[in-house]
Amino acid sequence: MTLNVSSSKVEVAKNFANYFVEICKSKPVVHIALSGGSTPKIVFDELAANHKTAIDWAKVHLYWGDERCVWPYDDESNYKMTYNHLISKIDIPELNIHRIKGENGPRYEAEHYSQFLNIVLPKTNGIPTFDLVILGMGDDGHTASIFPNQIELWNSENYCEVAEHPVSGQKRITITGQLINNAETVAFLVTGESKTERVYEILNNKDLATMYPASLVVPTKGNLEWFLDEAAAAKVTSAQS
Ligand code: 6PG
């Protein structure tokens, strides 16, 4: 596991964007699962503004680690956020965009996306393998759309599951632990002081941490990168200094 601590959210975005570019250069074709959330949004802005020509987007296939069960033009849609901040600004083939269809029935789409990933992704250990899974982490320690009150979804035998936001009740489709931990690399993008305690508990293996889905991210291949700002890392760096 590697900690990449930057001074601010914008610096996290710049550092991760450089890392993203290197991942995209590393192989003839790369399969990347994106995340929703505020930090990925500024990463997409950074990629669109300063790296759009540094990447051969024809070799990059974009997927989502989770999606809200809404239409793609809904402001709640992770796809819409990605389209507005990145996809609409880069020269990427439409066939390389593999959105979760939030407008479909949740159970149908969870099954459909599971089957799709099983067909199109390369496999290691007999499991579909992303080159990179980008994750955020909620204040409650959720990641993708696996929330603490539904942590059993992490160990589902299915590659995708139907989740439900614990407050709004919004249905979501999420990839599950076996896909996340089978990725070549997992990158957490976590910023802000609201994440300080969770980050500290998880990175220092505190007893409470096991109740947080984010603590279950332990990639089999060992490549786990945390991209944090100083606010989110405040207790970790002091604990490790
Ligand atoms: C989503 C995201 C979600 C997000 C966290 C962190 O669909 O909302 O996938 O898991 O990553 O809620 O969000 P922030 O980065 O905005 O704190």
Side-chain angles (χ1 to χ4, degrees):
M1 174 183 65
T2 307
L3 289 191
N4 306 277
V5 181
S6 306
S7 56
S8 66
K9 195 166 187 169
V10 170
E11 286 306 308
V12 167
K14 291 181 183 299
N15 284 341
F16 180 72
N18 290 327
Y19 182 84
F20 185 94
V21 169
E22 293 311 309
I23 291 275
C24 292
K25 288 178 177 175
S26 66
K27 298 176 78 170
V29 178
V30 286
H31 303 276
I32 299 173
L34 303 177
S35 170
S38 60
T39 309
K41 187 184 294 185
I42 59 173
V43 167
F44 300 155
D45 288 335
E46 174 66 18
L47 286 171
N50 298 314
H51 300 281
K52 63 193 295 183
T53 55
I55 295 173
D56 176 3
W57 293 100
K59 55 187 281 192
V60 180
H61 286 259
L62 299 179
Y63 308 76
W64 277 261
D66 65 326
E67 182 57 280
R68 290 80 179 279
C69 292
V70 296
W71 286 87
Y73 48 72
D74 190 303
D75 286 343
E76 278 287 299
S77 166
N78 285 338
Y79 165 79
K80 179 180 180 181
M81 183 274 279
T82 311
Y83 181 84
N84 288 344
H85 291 267
L86 179 62
I87 294 170
S88 60
K89 300 173 180 176
I90 59 175
D91 184 19
I92 187 167
E94 195 171 332
L95 288 176
N96 288 25
I97 310 298
H98 310 293
R99 69 179 183 89
I100 299 172
K101 295 180 171 63
E103 67 274 25
N104 285 342
R107 178 46 58 193
Y108 168 86
E109 186 58 18
E111 180 57 29
H112 167 260
Y113 207 65
S114 294
Q115 291 178 8
F116 173 70
L117 296 179
N118 190 48
I119 292 166
V120 298
L121 288 179
K123 289 188 172 69
T124 52
N125 311 314
I127 299 170
T129 305
F130 287 108
D131 294 292
L132 174 65
V133 172
I134 299 172
L135 295 173
M137 184 188 74
D139 300 358
D140 60 359
H142 83 260
T143 193
S145 277
I146 300 181
F147 295 89
N149 68 319
Q150 292 185 311
I151 199 166
E152 72 281 359
L153 293 179
W154 181 268
N155 291 314
S156 170
E157 63 183 14
N158 301 318
Y159 295 142
C160 298
E161 279 287 358
V162 179
E164 189 172 300
H165 191 282
V167 177
S168 67
Q170 182 187 62
K171 289 275 194 288
R172 299 187 174 188
I173 309 296
T174 185
I175 61 174
T176 57
Q178 63 176 317
L179 276 194
I180 293 171
N181 281 340
N182 201 54
E184 288 295 331
T185 299
V186 178
F188 266 118
L189 303 182
V190 182
T191 57
E193 60 186 9
S194 68
K195 311 294 169 74
T196 308
E197 198 59 31
R198 288 304 81 72
V199 168
Y200 169 67
E201 290 172 323
I202 290 170
L203 292 183
N204 289 275
N205 298 317
K206 295 299 178 190
D207 295 342
L208 276 178
T210 54
M211 66 187 282
Y212 308 131
S215 73
L216 302 178
V217 178
V218 184
T220 309
K221 296 179 177 67
N223 299 326
L224 176 57
E225 300 274 348
W226 285 80
F227 289 83
L228 304 160
D229 65 359
E230 287 173 357
K235 284 190 74 172
V236 171
T237 43
S238 58
Q240 294 192 339
S241 57

